[in-house]
Amino acid sequence: MNGSFEFNWQAALDSIPYLLAGVPYTLLISFGGLAIGFVIGMFFGLLRLSSASWLRWPAIVYIEVFRGTPVLVQVLFIFYGLPQLLGGPIDAITAGIAAIAVNSGAYISEVVRGGVQSIERGQREAGLSLGLSRTQTFRYIIWPQGFRRMIPALGNQGIISIKDTSLFAVIGVGELVRQGQIYIATTFRALEVYLMVALLYLAITLTLSLLLRLLERKGLVGQ
Amino acid sequence: MSEQSNKTPDTDTAPIVRMEKLNKHFGSLHVLKDVDLTVTSGEVVVIIGASGSGKSTLIRCINGLEEYQKGHLEVDGKVLKPDGKSSRELQQVRTEVGMVFQQFNLFPHLSVIDNITLAPTKVRHASRAEATKTAHRLLERVGIADQAEKYPSQLSGGQQQRVALARALAMEPRLMLFDEPTSALDPEMIGEVLDAMRELARDGMTMVIVTHEMNFAREVADRVIYIHKGEIVEQGTPEAVFDAPQNERTQSFLSRVLTH
Ligand SMILES: Nc1ncnc2c1ncn2[C@@H]1O[C@H](COP(=O)(O)OP(=O)(O)OP(=O)(O)O)[C@@H](O)[C@H]1O
Ligand SMILES: [Mg+2]
């Protein structure tokens, strides 16, 4: 091969099929984790809003713990630490999904809380004064409006979590970065390969951004 | 005692609202002081008073949007406990008591028709078709039959408030509460909302109205109540209160508001 100061387009292109094999894992871990994270976030976000302090406190503790520790430490804890407790190994993909779930769940809790709190008091009062129960008022009036306001912040969290999965190369999940590292180990084309890795992340996150913008535009109808 | 002084024969015309010695505090602020208020079926009661005197708080106690600390409150035959936040009675009372707010509080994510049919379908379990038919009839009644498919943000303030009125009426309430329904409106739209309320009063609806529209009050009220710093200081027919107020605080309030 030529001197390494030169950018080798051929090497960059050659790496693509190999890197693409990592994309499904990146998507599986990030979207699997985010889906669970959303459920967790709804649960703790609503608990966080409760007027009963014994419901509020567990939510506060959860949010602070998982927002205040690095996702890398979380995944290491789950992958290497938890098996000691459980007495059996956890596979790397499961550990990755779990880490994204608990980590994004903490942030999404706060997004949910903010979204719900942003709805004017009069909306709740109007619902209650019509005879709707508190649950119905939440379900038909508060949540639909709050959710629309959450979309930008949820999208933001989605993009962050997708990028966070790159850290999981350390536990050997065959996602994008890991695929890149393996390829570089045999070809020594770090510049080309990491550029391709970066472009693939960008392709994923830009697609998500675009989808979100479409959603937002649709969600705005009738606001 | 008060039980004897304002007695109403609770045989056939039991009062819809019976409030006795109601006291309400916001922290250290004593907002309602020993308020007695009885509203009988078909009556139109207008509450007037200066800003901050407790008019909104009083009317919001009637459908439990505000808690209170002391006193007795019965609405539509059901006792509302001071802090009965989520009691079943409270929800039942609310299905029978409609409310129109100063800021309309329409649901912005729902079309006009869905705003109106939501509660009848979810609370009264009316069928969709039935609720839609009622909604169209009510929209016609308040003069905006052609706006059914629009969203609240596409309507003028006056139209929004009339939708809010239709939404409350769709539950076929026995009592309607209005908290300054025209205060957020541009002057040219006040008339259309008052017209709709006038018609409602003419049809025999029991109404409790907080308003600064004194001419309207004089015209529709059976009884006018003047509230000052959380106390009812004077009440009577519109003629009595507006033309010959007995209390000097009523006199000074009226001389201020009636000049402009
Ligand atoms: N949620 C609240 N917390 C604390 N104080 C409140 C609250 N709501 C009202 N108050 C206070 O209670 C008093 C009565 O308020 P209220 O809204 O009932 O007056 P109002 O007669 O309706 O006035 P306005 O004509 O301005 O609407 C005021 O001093 C107000 O500042
Ligand atoms: Mg008020």
Side-chain angles (χ1 to χ4, degrees):
Chain A
M1 298 247 138
N2 304 4
S4 55
F5 57 88
E6 215 172 277
F7 188 91
N8 187 332
W9 282 105
Q10 194 53 49
L13 288 178
D14 287 347
S15 73
I16 289 178
Y18 199 81
L19 296 178
L20 281 178
V23 170
Y25 291 100
T26 295
L27 294 178
L28 173 69
I29 294 169
S30 46
F31 285 99
L34 282 164
I36 301 168
F38 183 72
V39 176
I40 294 176
M42 237 185 110
F43 181 73
F44 283 106
L46 296 182
L47 276 195
R48 179 75 181 72
L49 284 165
S50 168
S51 51
S53 66
W54 63 276
L55 289 174
R56 213 165 48 236
W57 270 103
I60 293 174
V61 169
Y62 166 77
I63 292 166
E64 294 304 334
V65 166
F66 286 96
R67 214 174 45 165
T69 50
V71 68
L72 180 57
V73 175
Q74 288 164 10
V75 81
L76 291 174
F77 181 89
I78 294 168
F79 186 66
Y80 294 112
L82 275 191
Q84 275 183 34
L85 283 179
L86 302 177
I90 295 176
D91 86 354
I93 292 172
T94 309
I97 291 175
I100 292 293
V102 294
N103 184 265
S104 71
Y107 285 95
I108 293 172
S109 299
E110 287 293 87
V111 171
V112 166
R113 175 169 79 105
V116 168
Q117 271 180 336
S118 77
I119 304 304
E120 302 69 27
R121 200 167 75 131
Q123 290 291 307
R124 181 165 183 275
E125 292 182 347
L128 293 177
S129 77
L130 285 165
L132 294 167
S133 68
R134 291 199 298 175
T135 315
Q136 287 174 322
T137 301
F138 180 79
R139 176 168 164 202
Y140 299 115
I141 297 166
I142 310 296
W143 180 257
Q145 295 184 61
F147 183 72
R148 285 176 199 196
R149 294 193 191 172
M150 293 171 206
I151 290 175
L154 289 175
N156 211 23
Q157 184 56 46
I159 286 170
I160 290 171
S161 290
I162 288 169
K163 293 185 297 179
D164 279 350
T165 60
S166 65
L167 296 166
F168 301 165
V170 298
I171 57 167
V173 183
E175 47 67 70
L176 251 172
V177 168
R178 178 80 181 146
Q179 289 298 100
Q181 287 174 335
I182 295 170
Y183 193 72
I184 290 165
T186 55
T187 61
F188 306 104
R189 308 294 327 184
L191 174 69
E192 290 83 356
V193 175
Y194 278 132
L195 181 71
M196 289 301 114
V197 168
L199 288 177
L200 282 172
Y201 274 110
L202 199 58
I204 297 170
T205 55
L206 281 179
T207 308
L208 182 61
S209 285
L210 236 103
L211 281 174
L212 281 161
R213 205 158 305 165
L214 277 175
L215 244 175
E216 260 184 74
R217 208 170 301 161
K218 263 178 110 178
L220 284 175
V221 174
Q223 276 279 24
Chain B
M1 302 233 91
S2 70
E3 283 87 4
Q4 290 166 328
S5 58
N6 60 5
K7 58 174 183 286
T8 326
D10 50 348
T11 43
D12 46 349
T13 54
I16 291 194
V17 178
R18 177 152 53 194
M19 187 181 274
E20 283 162 12
K21 296 257 171 289
L22 193 104
N23 281 273
K24 156 93 188 162
H25 300 258
F26 279 120
S28 60
L29 187 67
H30 198 172
V31 191
L32 296 177
K33 299 165 188 160
D34 282 341
V35 172
D36 291 316
L37 173 69
T38 305
V39 181
T40 52
S41 188
E43 205 179 4
V44 176
V45 175
V46 170
I47 300 171
I48 60 172
S51 179
S53 56
K55 306 180 297 294
S56 296
T57 309
L58 173 58
I59 203 172
R60 287 159 56 85
C61 279
I62 297 175
N63 67 348
L65 290 182
E66 297 288 354
E67 303 173 9
Y68 61 95
Q69 279 75 42
K70 244 173 59 193
H72 180 77
L73 177 58
E74 231 176 288
V75 181
D76 195 32
K78 296 185 182 67
V79 176
L80 294 190
K81 299 199 194 75
D83 62 345
K85 256 192 204 156
S86 55
S87 74
R88 194 146 281 278
E89 274 82 32
L90 181 52
Q91 203 194 331
Q92 279 170 359
V93 163
R94 282 169 172 162
T95 65
E96 306 298 334
V97 177
M99 185 159 195
V100 171
F101 301 84
Q102 183 174 345
Q103 300 297 339
F104 327 138
N105 295 350
L106 290 179
F107 307 133
H109 61 302
L110 299 179
S111 65
V112 164
I113 198 83
D114 290 342
N115 262 273
I116 302 175
T117 57
L118 179 67
T121 51
K122 302 302 177 197
V123 180
R124 296 243 193 256
H125 304 294
S127 73
R128 180 109 210 128
E130 207 182 316
T132 307
K133 216 173 111 200
T134 310
H136 281 293
R137 183 171 52 73
L138 287 166
L139 283 173
E140 199 156 324
R141 184 166 160 194
V142 297
I144 38 175
D146 48 342
Q147 312 289 337
E149 300 308 324
K150 290 198 176 161
Y151 282 86
S153 61
Q154 298 169 300
L155 302 181
S156 74
Q159 291 173 324
Q160 288 190 50
Q161 193 60 302
R162 285 182 284 159
V163 172
L165 178 57
R167 179 178 70 177
L169 293 178
M171 289 297 284
E172 300 179 351
R174 303 194 350 101
L175 166 67
M176 280 293 301
L177 308 174
F178 294 85
D179 189 2
E180 299 198 30
T182 59
S183 294
L185 295 176
D186 292 336
E188 73 270 21
M189 292 171 187
I190 292 176
E192 63 198 43
V193 171
L194 293 182
D195 282 343
M197 290 171 65
R198 225 173 249 128
E199 200 188 308
L200 196 59
R202 213 177 296 133
D203 291 348
M205 175 64 76
T206 313
M207 298 159 82
V208 178
I209 306 168
V210 173
T211 186
H212 292 297
E213 297 292 327
M214 296 301 161
N215 291 329
F216 173 75
R218 182 189 285 270
E219 187 190 330
V220 303
D222 296 310
R223 181 155 47 114
V224 175
I225 292 176
Y226 172 65
I227 178 167
H228 177 82
K229 291 190 176 158
E231 268 179 288
I232 294 180
V233 297
E234 183 149 6
Q235 59 178 307
T237 62
E239 293 74 27
V241 174
F242 287 123
D243 300 333
Q246 301 300 305
N247 190 293
E248 65 181 79
R249 283 168 299 194
T250 320
Q251 291 163 1
S252 96
F253 171 74
L254 287 174
S255 71
R256 267 179 290 133
V257 298
L258 292 180
T259 44
H260 56 250

